[in-house]
Amino acid sequence: MKSYRKELWFQTKLRREFINITTEVDRVIQDSGIQEGLILVNAMHITASVYINDDESGLLKDYERFLERLAPQDADYHHHLTGEDNGDAHIKRQIMGREVVVAITNGALDFGPWEQIFYAEFDGRRRKRVLVKVIGE
Ligand code: ZN
């Protein structure tokens, strides 16, 4: 069994952004040379998520509205007693998840219809990482 590790770096212009990273993840599979296996993609920060869903602009706006309703940026958070200001971002990340695992078949992401991999940033404007780990043959 082979394994291959790569970090993808992001610096968003906005505090919150949704970025389709499917092409970058697919490139990691090509670089790994692995044809059959599994790929793990996880945010390495506790205020960002990696998730799989449709790349549809209305849906991205719906996520923004839904998450802001559940964890408003300007609400009072106990976490802010530490001097931080990103209580909302921690909760948004918890809702949207930390990582995804996808099967690799014939050297490609073995997706269902419309599945795309997203990096969701909830406290951006600084350099942050996503870990990609590929295992297989
Ligand atoms: Zn924090």
Side-chain angles (χ1 to χ4, degrees):
M1 190 197 75
K2 286 196 288 188
S3 78
Y4 185 82
R5 182 188 190 277
K6 178 91 192 275
E7 292 177 2
L8 305 176
W9 287 83
F10 300 94
Q11 179 157 2
T12 59
K13 287 200 179 73
L14 304 175
R15 180 178 167 99
R16 285 190 294 280
E17 284 186 32
F18 296 98
I19 302 168
N20 186 333
I21 61 170
T22 309
T23 303
E24 285 94 326
V25 172
D26 189 58
R27 194 171 304 127
V28 175
I29 295 175
Q30 304 317 312
D31 293 346
S32 77
I34 289 169
Q35 291 292 304
E36 297 292 323
L38 293 172
I39 186 164
L40 165 76
V41 187
N42 70 268
M44 296 184 85
H45 302 263
I46 52 180
T47 53
S49 293
V50 172
Y51 71 90
I52 291 179
N53 216 304
D54 194 3
D55 190 353
E56 194 279 309
S57 59
L59 185 60
L60 299 180
K61 291 190 188 101
D62 291 335
Y63 286 145
E64 175 69 25
R65 191 166 61 179
F66 173 80
L67 292 168
E68 201 54 31
R69 196 182 302 146
L70 290 176
Q73 184 181 329
D74 59 3
D76 281 332
Y77 294 95
H78 292 290
H79 184 55
H80 293 177
L81 297 174
T82 66
E84 290 202 45
D85 66 351
N86 59 3
D88 70 306
H90 289 277
I91 293 170
K92 286 165 177 149
R93 176 261 170 80
Q94 206 69 39
I95 294 165
M96 296 302 281
R98 172 182 182 264
E99 79 277 308
V100 300
V101 176
V102 183
I104 300 167
T105 304
N106 296 323
L109 291 159
D110 199 341
F111 273 154
W114 306 109
E115 285 192 321
Q116 296 284 292
I117 304 174
F118 277 84
Y119 174 69
E121 177 61 78
F122 304 118
D123 184 20
R125 295 176 295 206
R126 56 197 168 101
R127 275 167 58 74
K128 291 165 80 169
R129 288 177 292 167
V130 166
L131 174 66
V132 185
K133 183 93 178 192
V134 193
I135 58 169
E137 312 253 315

Short mmCIF file of all heavy atoms in Angstrom, two decimals, residues 11-59:
data_model
loop_
_atom_site.label_atom_id
_atom_site.label_comp_id
_atom_site.label_asym_id
_atom_site.label_seq_id
_atom_site.Cartn_x
_atom_site.Cartn_y
_atom_site.Cartn_z
N GLN A 11 -5.94 31.56 1.50
CA GLN A 11 -6.09 32.83 2.21
C GLN A 11 -7.25 33.58 1.56
O GLN A 11 -7.10 34.13 0.46
CB GLN A 11 -4.81 33.68 2.15
CG GLN A 11 -5.01 35.01 2.87
CD GLN A 11 -3.72 35.65 3.33
OE1 GLN A 11 -2.62 35.15 3.10
NE2 GLN A 11 -3.85 36.79 4.00
N THR A 12 -8.38 33.57 2.23
CA THR A 12 -9.57 34.20 1.65
C THR A 12 -9.51 35.72 1.86
O THR A 12 -8.90 36.20 2.81
CB THR A 12 -10.85 33.65 2.29
OG1 THR A 12 -10.82 33.89 3.70
CG2 THR A 12 -11.00 32.16 2.02
N LYS A 13 -10.17 36.44 0.95
CA LYS A 13 -10.26 37.90 1.08
C LYS A 13 -11.31 38.27 2.13
O LYS A 13 -11.17 39.26 2.83
CB LYS A 13 -10.67 38.52 -0.26
CG LYS A 13 -9.55 38.53 -1.29
CD LYS A 13 -9.86 39.57 -2.38
CE LYS A 13 -8.76 39.60 -3.43
NZ LYS A 13 -8.81 38.40 -4.29
N LEU A 14 -12.36 37.44 2.22
CA LEU A 14 -13.47 37.72 3.13
C LEU A 14 -13.35 36.85 4.37
O LEU A 14 -12.66 35.83 4.37
CB LEU A 14 -14.81 37.44 2.44
CG LEU A 14 -15.05 38.21 1.13
CD1 LEU A 14 -16.35 37.74 0.49
CD2 LEU A 14 -15.07 39.71 1.38
N ARG A 15 -14.08 37.25 5.42
CA ARG A 15 -14.12 36.44 6.65
C ARG A 15 -14.71 35.06 6.37
O ARG A 15 -14.25 34.05 6.89
CB ARG A 15 -14.95 37.17 7.71
CG ARG A 15 -15.06 36.43 9.04
CD ARG A 15 -15.87 37.26 10.04
NE ARG A 15 -16.27 36.50 11.20
CZ ARG A 15 -15.65 36.53 12.38
NH1 ARG A 15 -14.58 37.26 12.53
NH2 ARG A 15 -16.10 35.81 13.40
N ARG A 16 -15.78 35.03 5.53
CA ARG A 16 -16.42 33.75 5.20
C ARG A 16 -16.45 33.55 3.69
O ARG A 16 -16.87 34.44 2.96
CB ARG A 16 -17.86 33.73 5.73
CG ARG A 16 -17.94 33.53 7.22
CD ARG A 16 -19.37 33.26 7.68
NE ARG A 16 -20.25 34.41 7.49
CZ ARG A 16 -20.29 35.45 8.33
NH1 ARG A 16 -19.54 35.48 9.40
NH2 ARG A 16 -21.12 36.44 8.09
N GLU A 17 -16.00 32.38 3.25
CA GLU A 17 -16.05 32.05 1.82
C GLU A 17 -16.23 30.54 1.66
O GLU A 17 -15.78 29.77 2.50
CB GLU A 17 -14.76 32.47 1.09
CG GLU A 17 -14.66 33.96 0.82
CD GLU A 17 -13.44 34.32 -0.02
OE1 GLU A 17 -13.04 33.51 -0.89
OE2 GLU A 17 -12.89 35.42 0.20
N PHE A 18 -16.87 30.16 0.56
CA PHE A 18 -16.98 28.76 0.17
C PHE A 18 -16.18 28.58 -1.11
O PHE A 18 -16.43 29.28 -2.09
CB PHE A 18 -18.44 28.37 -0.07
CG PHE A 18 -19.32 28.45 1.15
CD1 PHE A 18 -20.12 29.56 1.39
CD2 PHE A 18 -19.34 27.41 2.06
CE1 PHE A 18 -20.93 29.63 2.52
CE2 PHE A 18 -20.14 27.47 3.20
CZ PHE A 18 -20.94 28.58 3.43
N ILE A 19 -15.21 27.66 -1.10
CA ILE A 19 -14.32 27.47 -2.24
C ILE A 19 -14.40 26.02 -2.72
O ILE A 19 -14.17 25.09 -1.93
CB ILE A 19 -12.85 27.81 -1.86
CG1 ILE A 19 -12.76 29.25 -1.34
CG2 ILE A 19 -11.92 27.59 -3.05
CD1 ILE A 19 -11.42 29.56 -0.69
N ASN A 20 -14.72 25.84 -3.99
CA ASN A 20 -14.73 24.49 -4.57
C ASN A 20 -13.28 24.06 -4.81
O ASN A 20 -12.57 24.66 -5.62
CB ASN A 20 -15.52 24.52 -5.90
CG ASN A 20 -15.69 23.13 -6.49
OD1 ASN A 20 -14.88 22.23 -6.25
ND2 ASN A 20 -16.73 22.95 -7.27
N ILE A 21 -12.84 23.02 -4.09
CA ILE A 21 -11.44 22.58 -4.18
C ILE A 21 -11.32 21.22 -4.89
O ILE A 21 -10.28 20.57 -4.80
CB ILE A 21 -10.78 22.50 -2.78
CG1 ILE A 21 -11.49 21.49 -1.86
CG2 ILE A 21 -10.75 23.88 -2.13
CD1 ILE A 21 -10.74 21.20 -0.56
N THR A 22 -12.36 20.82 -5.60
CA THR A 22 -12.37 19.50 -6.25
C THR A 22 -11.20 19.33 -7.22
O THR A 22 -10.54 18.28 -7.22
CB THR A 22 -13.71 19.28 -6.99
OG1 THR A 22 -14.78 19.58 -6.09
CG2 THR A 22 -13.83 17.85 -7.48
N THR A 23 -10.91 20.36 -8.02
CA THR A 23 -9.82 20.27 -9.00
C THR A 23 -8.47 20.08 -8.31
O THR A 23 -7.66 19.25 -8.73
CB THR A 23 -9.79 21.53 -9.89
OG1 THR A 23 -11.06 21.68 -10.51
CG2 THR A 23 -8.72 21.42 -10.96
N GLU A 24 -8.25 20.83 -7.21
CA GLU A 24 -6.99 20.70 -6.46
C GLU A 24 -6.86 19.30 -5.84
O GLU A 24 -5.78 18.72 -5.84
CB GLU A 24 -6.90 21.74 -5.34
CG GLU A 24 -6.60 23.15 -5.82
CD GLU A 24 -7.85 23.98 -6.04
OE1 GLU A 24 -8.88 23.42 -6.45
OE2 GLU A 24 -7.78 25.19 -5.81
N VAL A 25 -7.98 18.78 -5.30
CA VAL A 25 -7.93 17.45 -4.69
C VAL A 25 -7.67 16.39 -5.76
O VAL A 25 -6.88 15.46 -5.55
CB VAL A 25 -9.25 17.16 -3.93
CG1 VAL A 25 -9.30 15.72 -3.46
CG2 VAL A 25 -9.41 18.12 -2.75
N ASP A 26 -8.31 16.56 -6.91
CA ASP A 26 -8.09 15.61 -8.01
C ASP A 26 -6.62 15.62 -8.45
O ASP A 26 -6.05 14.56 -8.74
CB ASP A 26 -9.01 15.97 -9.18
CG ASP A 26 -8.98 14.91 -10.25
OD1 ASP A 26 -9.29 13.74 -9.93
OD2 ASP A 26 -8.60 15.22 -11.40
N ARG A 27 -6.00 16.80 -8.44
CA ARG A 27 -4.59 16.91 -8.82
C ARG A 27 -3.71 16.13 -7.83
O ARG A 27 -2.72 15.51 -8.24
CB ARG A 27 -4.17 18.38 -8.89
CG ARG A 27 -2.83 18.59 -9.59
CD ARG A 27 -2.54 20.08 -9.83
NE ARG A 27 -3.60 20.72 -10.59
CZ ARG A 27 -4.26 21.84 -10.21
NH1 ARG A 27 -3.95 22.43 -9.06
NH2 ARG A 27 -5.21 22.36 -10.96
N VAL A 28 -4.07 16.15 -6.56
CA VAL A 28 -3.30 15.40 -5.56
C VAL A 28 -3.37 13.90 -5.87
O VAL A 28 -2.36 13.19 -5.76
CB VAL A 28 -3.81 15.69 -4.13
CG1 VAL A 28 -3.08 14.81 -3.11
CG2 VAL A 28 -3.64 17.17 -3.78
N ILE A 29 -4.55 13.43 -6.27
CA ILE A 29 -4.68 12.00 -6.63
C ILE A 29 -3.76 11.69 -7.82
O ILE A 29 -3.05 10.67 -7.80
CB ILE A 29 -6.14 11.65 -6.97
CG1 ILE A 29 -7.03 11.82 -5.74
CG2 ILE A 29 -6.23 10.22 -7.52
CD1 ILE A 29 -8.50 11.62 -6.01
N GLN A 30 -3.75 12.55 -8.82
CA GLN A 30 -2.88 12.32 -9.99
C GLN A 30 -1.42 12.28 -9.55
O GLN A 30 -0.66 11.41 -9.98
CB GLN A 30 -3.09 13.42 -11.06
CG GLN A 30 -4.53 13.59 -11.54
CD GLN A 30 -5.27 12.29 -11.78
OE1 GLN A 30 -4.75 11.39 -12.43
NE2 GLN A 30 -6.46 12.16 -11.21
N ASP A 31 -1.02 13.23 -8.68
CA ASP A 31 0.38 13.29 -8.21
C ASP A 31 0.74 12.05 -7.39
O ASP A 31 1.90 11.63 -7.38
CB ASP A 31 0.61 14.54 -7.36
CG ASP A 31 0.51 15.82 -8.19
OD1 ASP A 31 0.52 15.73 -9.43
OD2 ASP A 31 0.41 16.90 -7.58
N SER A 32 -0.24 11.48 -6.68
CA SER A 32 0.02 10.32 -5.82
C SER A 32 0.26 9.05 -6.64
O SER A 32 0.90 8.12 -6.17
CB SER A 32 -1.15 10.08 -4.86
OG SER A 32 -2.24 9.47 -5.54
N GLY A 33 -0.31 9.00 -7.84
CA GLY A 33 -0.20 7.81 -8.67
C GLY A 33 -1.09 6.66 -8.20
O GLY A 33 -1.02 5.56 -8.75
N ILE A 34 -1.91 6.90 -7.18
CA ILE A 34 -2.76 5.84 -6.63
C ILE A 34 -4.01 5.68 -7.48
O ILE A 34 -4.68 6.66 -7.82
CB ILE A 34 -3.07 6.15 -5.14
CG1 ILE A 34 -1.80 5.95 -4.30
CG2 ILE A 34 -4.22 5.26 -4.63
CD1 ILE A 34 -1.87 6.44 -2.89
N GLN A 35 -4.32 4.44 -7.83
CA GLN A 35 -5.46 4.13 -8.72
C GLN A 35 -6.68 3.65 -7.95
O GLN A 35 -7.81 3.92 -8.35
CB GLN A 35 -5.04 3.04 -9.73
CG GLN A 35 -4.02 3.51 -10.74
CD GLN A 35 -4.60 4.53 -11.71
OE1 GLN A 35 -5.60 4.27 -12.36
NE2 GLN A 35 -3.99 5.70 -11.77
N GLU A 36 -6.42 2.89 -6.86
CA GLU A 36 -7.52 2.32 -6.06
C GLU A 36 -7.23 2.59 -4.59
O GLU A 36 -6.17 2.19 -4.08
CB GLU A 36 -7.62 0.80 -6.28
CG GLU A 36 -7.96 0.40 -7.70
CD GLU A 36 -9.38 0.80 -8.10
OE1 GLU A 36 -10.28 0.71 -7.25
OE2 GLU A 36 -9.57 1.21 -9.25
N GLY A 37 -8.14 3.29 -3.91
CA GLY A 37 -7.89 3.59 -2.50
C GLY A 37 -8.88 4.57 -1.93
O GLY A 37 -10.04 4.63 -2.36
N LEU A 38 -8.40 5.33 -0.95
CA LEU A 38 -9.24 6.32 -0.26
C LEU A 38 -8.47 7.63 -0.15
O LEU A 38 -7.25 7.64 -0.01
CB LEU A 38 -9.59 5.84 1.15
CG LEU A 38 -10.49 4.62 1.28
CD1 LEU A 38 -10.56 4.18 2.75
CD2 LEU A 38 -11.90 4.93 0.76
N ILE A 39 -9.23 8.72 -0.17
CA ILE A 39 -8.63 10.04 0.05
C ILE A 39 -9.36 10.72 1.19
O ILE A 39 -10.59 10.74 1.24
CB ILE A 39 -8.61 10.88 -1.25
CG1 ILE A 39 -7.84 12.18 -1.02
CG2 ILE A 39 -10.02 11.14 -1.77
CD1 ILE A 39 -7.45 12.88 -2.33
N LEU A 40 -8.57 11.24 2.14
CA LEU A 40 -9.09 12.02 3.27
C LEU A 40 -8.74 13.48 3.01
O LEU A 40 -7.60 13.79 2.65
CB LEU A 40 -8.42 11.56 4.57
CG LEU A 40 -8.56 12.48 5.79
CD1 LEU A 40 -9.96 12.37 6.39
CD2 LEU A 40 -7.51 12.16 6.83
N VAL A 41 -9.72 14.37 3.17
CA VAL A 41 -9.48 15.81 3.02
C VAL A 41 -10.04 16.48 4.26
O VAL A 41 -11.25 16.39 4.51
CB VAL A 41 -10.17 16.37 1.76
CG1 VAL A 41 -9.77 17.82 1.53
CG2 VAL A 41 -9.88 15.52 0.53
N ASN A 42 -9.18 17.12 5.07
CA ASN A 42 -9.68 17.76 6.29
C ASN A 42 -9.09 19.15 6.49
O ASN A 42 -7.92 19.40 6.19
CB ASN A 42 -9.44 16.88 7.53
CG ASN A 42 -8.01 16.75 7.93
OD1 ASN A 42 -7.33 15.83 7.50
ND2 ASN A 42 -7.52 17.67 8.74
N ALA A 43 -9.94 20.02 7.04
CA ALA A 43 -9.47 21.34 7.45
C ALA A 43 -8.54 21.15 8.65
O ALA A 43 -8.82 20.35 9.53
CB ALA A 43 -10.66 22.22 7.84
N MET A 44 -7.42 21.90 8.66
CA MET A 44 -6.46 21.79 9.77
C MET A 44 -6.69 22.90 10.79
O MET A 44 -5.84 23.13 11.66
CB MET A 44 -5.03 21.81 9.25
CG MET A 44 -4.71 20.61 8.36
SD MET A 44 -3.00 20.56 7.82
CE MET A 44 -2.24 19.72 9.22
N HIS A 45 -7.83 23.57 10.70
CA HIS A 45 -8.15 24.67 11.60
C HIS A 45 -9.57 24.48 12.14
O HIS A 45 -10.43 23.95 11.43
CB HIS A 45 -8.04 26.01 10.87
CG HIS A 45 -6.68 26.24 10.29
ND1 HIS A 45 -5.71 26.97 10.92
CD2 HIS A 45 -6.12 25.78 9.15
CE1 HIS A 45 -4.61 26.97 10.19
NE2 HIS A 45 -4.84 26.25 9.10
N ILE A 46 -9.81 24.95 13.36
CA ILE A 46 -11.08 24.70 14.01
C ILE A 46 -12.12 25.78 13.73
O ILE A 46 -13.16 25.84 14.36
CB ILE A 46 -10.88 24.51 15.54
CG1 ILE A 46 -10.10 25.67 16.12
CG2 ILE A 46 -10.19 23.17 15.80
CD1 ILE A 46 -9.86 25.54 17.62
N THR A 47 -11.84 26.61 12.72
CA THR A 47 -12.82 27.61 12.27
C THR A 47 -13.03 27.52 10.76
O THR A 47 -13.39 28.50 10.12
CB THR A 47 -12.36 29.04 12.65
OG1 THR A 47 -11.02 29.23 12.16
CG2 THR A 47 -12.39 29.24 14.16
N ALA A 48 -12.79 26.32 10.20
CA ALA A 48 -13.00 26.08 8.77
C ALA A 48 -13.46 24.64 8.60
O ALA A 48 -13.19 23.79 9.45
CB ALA A 48 -11.72 26.32 7.98
N SER A 49 -14.17 24.38 7.50
CA SER A 49 -14.73 23.05 7.25
C SER A 49 -14.34 22.55 5.87
O SER A 49 -14.03 23.34 4.97
CB SER A 49 -16.27 23.09 7.30
OG SER A 49 -16.72 23.36 8.60
N VAL A 50 -14.39 21.23 5.71
CA VAL A 50 -14.38 20.61 4.39
C VAL A 50 -15.64 19.76 4.31
O VAL A 50 -15.94 18.99 5.24
CB VAL A 50 -13.12 19.75 4.17
CG1 VAL A 50 -13.22 18.96 2.87
CG2 VAL A 50 -11.87 20.63 4.15
N TYR A 51 -16.40 19.93 3.24
CA TYR A 51 -17.65 19.17 3.10
C TYR A 51 -17.89 18.88 1.62
O TYR A 51 -17.22 19.44 0.74
CB TYR A 51 -18.84 19.94 3.70
CG TYR A 51 -19.25 21.15 2.89
CD1 TYR A 51 -20.21 21.04 1.88
CD2 TYR A 51 -18.66 22.39 3.10
CE1 TYR A 51 -20.57 22.14 1.12
CE2 TYR A 51 -19.02 23.49 2.35
CZ TYR A 51 -19.99 23.36 1.36
OH TYR A 51 -20.34 24.44 0.59
N ILE A 52 -18.85 18.00 1.35
CA ILE A 52 -19.21 17.65 -0.03
C ILE A 52 -20.67 18.02 -0.26
O ILE A 52 -21.55 17.64 0.52
CB ILE A 52 -19.01 16.15 -0.30
CG1 ILE A 52 -17.51 15.81 -0.29
CG2 ILE A 52 -19.63 15.75 -1.64
CD1 ILE A 52 -17.20 14.35 -0.52
N ASN A 53 -20.89 18.77 -1.34
CA ASN A 53 -22.25 19.03 -1.80
C ASN A 53 -22.21 19.67 -3.18
O ASN A 53 -21.14 19.74 -3.80
CB ASN A 53 -23.03 19.88 -0.78
CG ASN A 53 -24.50 19.47 -0.72
OD1 ASN A 53 -25.19 19.46 -1.74
ND2 ASN A 53 -24.95 19.10 0.46
N ASP A 54 -23.34 20.15 -3.63
CA ASP A 54 -23.49 20.72 -4.96
C ASP A 54 -22.81 22.08 -5.06
O ASP A 54 -22.85 22.86 -4.10
CB ASP A 54 -25.00 20.87 -5.23
CG ASP A 54 -25.32 21.12 -6.69
OD1 ASP A 54 -24.40 21.13 -7.53
OD2 ASP A 54 -26.51 21.30 -6.99
N ASP A 55 -22.22 22.38 -6.21
CA ASP A 55 -21.67 23.71 -6.47
C ASP A 55 -22.75 24.53 -7.16
O ASP A 55 -22.75 24.70 -8.38
CB ASP A 55 -20.41 23.62 -7.34
CG ASP A 55 -19.69 24.97 -7.40
OD1 ASP A 55 -20.23 25.97 -6.90
OD2 ASP A 55 -18.58 25.01 -7.96
N GLU A 56 -23.67 25.04 -6.35
CA GLU A 56 -24.81 25.80 -6.88
C GLU A 56 -24.88 27.09 -6.08
O GLU A 56 -24.93 27.06 -4.85
CB GLU A 56 -26.08 24.96 -6.75
CG GLU A 56 -27.27 25.47 -7.54
CD GLU A 56 -27.99 26.59 -6.83
OE1 GLU A 56 -28.33 26.41 -5.64
OE2 GLU A 56 -28.20 27.65 -7.45
N SER A 57 -24.88 28.24 -6.77
CA SER A 57 -24.69 29.53 -6.09
C SER A 57 -25.82 29.82 -5.10
O SER A 57 -25.57 30.41 -4.04
CB SER A 57 -24.57 30.66 -7.11
OG SER A 57 -25.74 30.71 -7.92
N GLY A 58 -27.05 29.44 -5.41
CA GLY A 58 -28.16 29.66 -4.48
C GLY A 58 -27.97 28.87 -3.20
O GLY A 58 -28.22 29.38 -2.10
N LEU A 59 -27.50 27.65 -3.33
CA LEU A 59 -27.26 26.81 -2.16
C LEU A 59 -26.20 27.42 -1.25
O LEU A 59 -26.32 27.39 -0.02
CB LEU A 59 -26.86 25.41 -2.62
CG LEU A 59 -26.68 24.35 -1.54
CD1 LEU A 59 -27.97 24.13 -0.76
CD2 LEU A 59 -26.22 23.03 -2.16
#
